[in-house]
């Protein structure tokens, strides 16, 4: 059967992609951030998955404010990098895994989660920046991402957004779906977005280093309690865009220590943890967990 062996968590700041695309990764401002992913790029090579299930949020590219699904799974064979106003990122197209994606959709919907099925969409920096951070710089004309990717978009843009607890429960349903797939696949699940940041209003530029790291501690050691964090805490402590962290709880809920909504198995191994501020007025968090 297929199996989720690891989860990856990372911010997906658009300026990170721009820094890579414009050759600025060695500049003083960016160098410390990219150094935090050196381990991760090697880990990715040493632990290459067959498929990545990548949880992200669309930034008015595939979906506009006219129609925003709460949870949407990509079932297409491929996805082009989106033009977000300054041209598509110069990265390879994303190859999908329609068979596994369709199987997950069937299973998760039968577990009473309503998913939107997306058979065609472009993917923006929310998906391509994490891939670049974990896989390094690639030439779109000659290179390819190391494995197929299943995009899974979550609405954290237009309220009401899903609760952390709902996302945590969804992660468990996704793991059950993966494990019921017949092929012997090594699957990674990635949760992206966050950490603390606010892009507008009187608190624009807010970064809360202490809260971010305390939240990471809790997500690792007490994920059930972390999933109960109310929305107002994210907004108050991590800024209006800090709510993106609920997407990390999908990946955490998919880990094997979580059974029936509780911690009932061996804790995952923390392979790498990194935190850096600022990156374009955003706190960048990064974590790799491996199942025991």
């Amino acid at each position: 059967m297929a199996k989720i062996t690891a989860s990856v968590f990372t911010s997906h700041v658009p300026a990170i992609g721009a820094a890579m695309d414009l050759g600025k990764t060695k500049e003083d401002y960016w160098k410390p951030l990219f150094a935090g992913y050196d381990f991760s790029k090697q880990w990715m090579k040493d632990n290459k998955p067959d498929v990545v299930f990548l949880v992200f949020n669309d930034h008015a590219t595939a979906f506009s404010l006219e129609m925003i699904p709460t949870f949407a799974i990509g079932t297409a064979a491929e996805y082009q990098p989106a033009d977000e106003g300054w041209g598509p990122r110069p990265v390879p197209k994303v190859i999908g895994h329609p068979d596994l994606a369709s199987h997950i959709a069937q299973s998760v919907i039968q577990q009473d989660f309503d998913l939107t099925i997306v058979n065609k969409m472009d993917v923006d920096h929310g998906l391509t920046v994490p891939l670049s951070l974990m896989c390094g710089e690639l030439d779109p004309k000659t290179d390819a991402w190391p494995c197929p990717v299943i995009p899974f978009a979550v609405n954290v843009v237009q309220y009401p957004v899903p609760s952390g607890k709902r996302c945590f429960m969804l992660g468990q349903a996704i793991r059950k779906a993966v494990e019921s797939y017949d092929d012997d696949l090594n699957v990674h699940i990635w949760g992206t977005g966050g950490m603390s940041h606010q892009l507008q209003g009187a608190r624009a530029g807010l970064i809360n280093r202490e809260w971010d790291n305390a939240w990471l501690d809790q997500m690792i050691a007490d994920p059930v309690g972390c999933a109960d964090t109310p929305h107002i805490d994210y907004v108050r402590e991590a800024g209006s865009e800090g709510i993106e962290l609920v997407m990390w709880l999908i990946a955490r809920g998919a880990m094997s220590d979580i059974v029936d909504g509780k911690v009932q198995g061996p804790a995952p191994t923390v392979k790498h943890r990194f935190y850096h501020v600022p990156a374009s007025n955003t706190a960048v968090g990064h974590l790799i967990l491996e199942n025991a």
Side-chain angles (χ1 to χ4, degrees):
M1 67 179 185
K3 186 176 182 180
I4 293 174
T5 59
S7 54
V8 173
F9 308 81
T10 184
S11 303
H12 59 213
V13 184
I16 293 175
M20 297 183 75
D21 301 340
L22 298 174
K24 296 185 176 183
T25 59
K26 300 300 183 183
E27 293 184 1
D28 290 345
Y29 180 85
W30 290 108
K31 190 174 181 179
L33 183 142
F34 288 104
Y37 287 84
D38 287 345
F39 174 92
S40 307
K41 287 185 286 188
Q42 186 59 51
W43 176 88
M44 186 71 175
K45 292 176 181 177
D46 295 340
N47 298 271
K48 180 184 173 182
D50 297 310
V51 184
V52 167
F53 187 96
L54 201 154
V55 183
F56 74 111
N57 65 288
D58 177 74
H59 301 80
T61 299
F63 313 112
S64 72
L65 293 181
E66 295 177 353
M67 182 174 62
I68 306 178
T70 301
F71 300 118
I73 186 168
T75 55
E78 62 180 47
Y79 309 87
Q80 295 293 335
D83 184 345
E84 300 180 64
W86 49 85
R89 288 193 63 214
V91 295
K93 66 181 179 182
V94 176
I95 302 302
H97 198 300
D99 287 346
L100 178 58
S102 297
H103 172 84
I104 291 172
Q106 166 75 16
S107 175
V108 169
I109 290 171
Q110 290 298 310
Q111 293 177 70
D112 300 325
F113 284 90
D114 297 324
L115 305 185
T116 298
I117 310 301
V118 184
N119 295 313
K120 181 180 180 180
M121 68 173 170
D122 293 343
V123 289
D124 65 18
H125 72 269
L127 185 137
T128 63
V129 165
L131 286 172
S132 292
L133 285 169
M134 294 297 297
C135 304
E137 299 177 56
L138 300 176
D139 185 336
K141 296 180 179 179
T142 59
D143 298 326
W145 300 115
C147 68
V149 176
I150 297 174
F152 191 87
V154 179
N155 170 37
V156 288
V157 175
Q158 176 70 55
Y159 273 82
V161 304
S163 68
K165 185 174 182 179
R166 183 69 170 165
C167 290
F168 189 65
M169 294 168 60
L170 175 57
Q172 297 164 62
I174 290 168
R175 185 183 75 233
K176 183 177 180 180
V178 169
E179 291 178 349
S180 66
Y181 190 68
D182 287 340
D183 286 357
D184 185 18
L185 296 178
N186 172 16
V187 180
H188 289 179
I189 184 166
W190 295 11
T192 74
M195 295 189 80
S196 63
H197 63 300
Q198 179 152 331
L199 303 180
Q200 72 288 309
R203 298 198 306 164
L206 179 147
I207 290 177
N208 191 338
R209 180 191 296 265
E210 182 178 354
W211 191 89
D212 284 342
N213 281 286
W215 189 90
L216 269 177
D217 290 341
Q218 187 179 34
M219 189 190 71
I220 295 167
D222 178 22
V224 177
C226 189
D228 284 335
T229 302
H231 279 176
I232 191 61
D233 284 11
Y234 290 101
V235 176
R236 181 190 298 116
E237 302 295 342
S240 54
E241 279 69 46
I243 192 62
E244 290 179 354
L245 285 168
V246 298
M247 296 188 290
W248 295 32
L249 290 165
I250 295 177
R252 185 64 183 90
M255 297 300 282
S256 61
D257 61 324
I258 308 301
V259 181
D260 296 328
K262 301 177 182 178
V263 177
Q264 299 191 46
T269 300
V270 178
K271 297 299 294 184
H272 183 55
R273 178 171 173 172
F274 173 68
Y275 183 84
H276 176 78
V277 294
S280 183
N281 294 319
T282 302
V284 172
H286 176 41
L287 182 70
I288 298 173
L289 300 180
E290 289 184 359
N291 272 325

